Amino acid sequence: MDGVLVIDKPLGPTSFDVVRQVRSLLKVKKAGHTGTLDPMATGVLPVCLGEATKVAGYITEGDKAYDAVVRLGVETDTQDAQGKPTSEAPVPPLTAAILEAALAPFRGTFEQVPPMYSAVKIAGKRLYELARAGEEVERASRTVTVHELVLRDFSADRLTLSVRCSKGFYVRTLAYDLGRALGCGAHLEALRRTASGPFTLARALPLGELASLSRETVAGRLVSLGEALTELPSVRVSAEEAKRVSHGVPVEVAPQPGKVRVLGPDGALLAMAEVVGGRLRYLRVFA
C-alpha cells in the first residue's frame, strides 16, 4: 500500500499515536506523518505509507491553513490551553478596528521566535525537553510568512481566526504575541488544520472510521506520489531520457532553480531532483 492517506486527526492523540494506529489497522510496515500536530489540535494530518515515506520530507514543505480560537486575558507556559496559566489581565474593550490594527503586523513576512514548548533543537536538545526541565533559553527568531490572516469573529475575551501560513509558523505564538500587542495576554484555545500543502479536509478520513473500512476502500482514498507533490514544479523528459533517469544518469534540462518532479512522457513520476547548472541532480529515483 503506497501513497498518502489524509487523516482527520481527533483531539487528544499525538501525531505519532495516529501513525501507530494507522500502521496497526492497515498492517503496513512503513508509515510516517508529515508535519506534527499537537495533541490539542485536530484536522489534516497526511500519513505517508510505503514508498510515500521516501518523499515525506518534501511534502512537509507546503503551506498550512488553520482555524484558531484565541482566548484573551490569560497566558500559559505552553502558549496554549494545555499549559499552566502564568499570568492574567483584564481584556480591554474590543472593536473590529482595534483587532484589525493588532493583527496587521502579523500579515506578510516577518520574524517569529519559536515557543519553548516546541520540537526546535538547540545544542542537540529539543526545546520542549529543556522546558520540561524548567529551563528557558534564548531562541533565535525565524523568518515566517502569513499569506492570509482573517478575523472571523470575536467576543469579549475570544477571537476566531483563519490563517494560511508557511511551514514552521506557530499559531500558538501568534496567539501569545497578539495578546501582548493587545496588552492583556492570550493563549491558543483551539486549533484545527484545514489544509497542509495540497491536502485538505475534503479529502481527510476521520481516524475513528478507519477500523470499519476495508483495505480496498482505504486504498481508494490514497493520494498517489505524483499528486502529493503537485506543489513542486515539474520537468517532463522523453522516453529515451526516462531510461537515463531510471539509472540515475544526469539529464540536461532548461534552467530552473530548486527542487522539481521529473515526469516521464506519460506523466508518471520518475524522480525528485534539483536542477543544478542545467542538469538534473537526483534526490530520489522511483522508476
Side-chain angles (χ1 to χ4, degrees), residues 35 38 49 61 75-76 92 109 121-122 127 185 230 237 248-249 254 284:
D38 291 336
L49 305 176
E61 296 181 0
E75 290 186 348
T76 71
T109 299
K121 278 188 175 182
I122 291 184
L127 282 176
T230 51
V237 298
V249 179
R284 179 74 66 173

Side-chain angles (χ1 to χ4, degrees), residues 5-73:
L5 183 63
V6 187
I7 294 292
D8 185 348
K9 178 191 169 299
L11 183 70
T14 67
S15 298
F16 295 104
D17 292 334
V18 172
V19 170
R20 279 194 289 268
Q21 289 188 50
V22 170
R23 186 186 292 121
S24 175
L25 289 169
L26 298 181
K27 295 179 173 55
V28 294
K29 292 182 178 180
K30 295 181 180 179
H33 65 77
T34 65
T36 302
L37 273 180
D38 291 336
M40 67 160 280
T42 67
V44 174
L45 182 67
V47 177
C48 293
L49 305 176
E51 287 294 297
T53 57
K54 297 178 180 178
V55 298
Y58 306 114
I59 293 174
T60 62
E61 296 181 0
D63 291 339
K64 311 292 188 293
Y66 301 91
D67 288 337
V69 177
V70 177
R71 167 73 189 280
L72 301 175

Side-chain angles (χ1 to χ4, degrees), residues 196-261:
S196 177
F199 310 106
T200 65
L201 278 175
R203 305 193 69 166
L205 178 68
L207 182 62
E209 294 182 10
L210 189 59
S212 63
L213 300 178
S214 68
R215 191 177 179 84
E216 291 72 22
T217 299
V218 174
R221 297 289 295 267
L222 293 180
V223 179
S224 68
L225 288 181
E227 190 179 356
L229 296 166
T230 51
E231 291 197 331
L232 291 173
S234 63
V235 171
R236 194 176 290 258
V237 298
S238 67
E240 183 60 34
E241 290 171 330
K243 294 178 182 177
R244 297 176 64 189
V245 172
S246 66
H247 291 94
V249 179
V251 171
E252 292 188 2
V253 296
Q256 185 172 352
K259 298 182 181 69
V260 297
R261 293 173 293 138

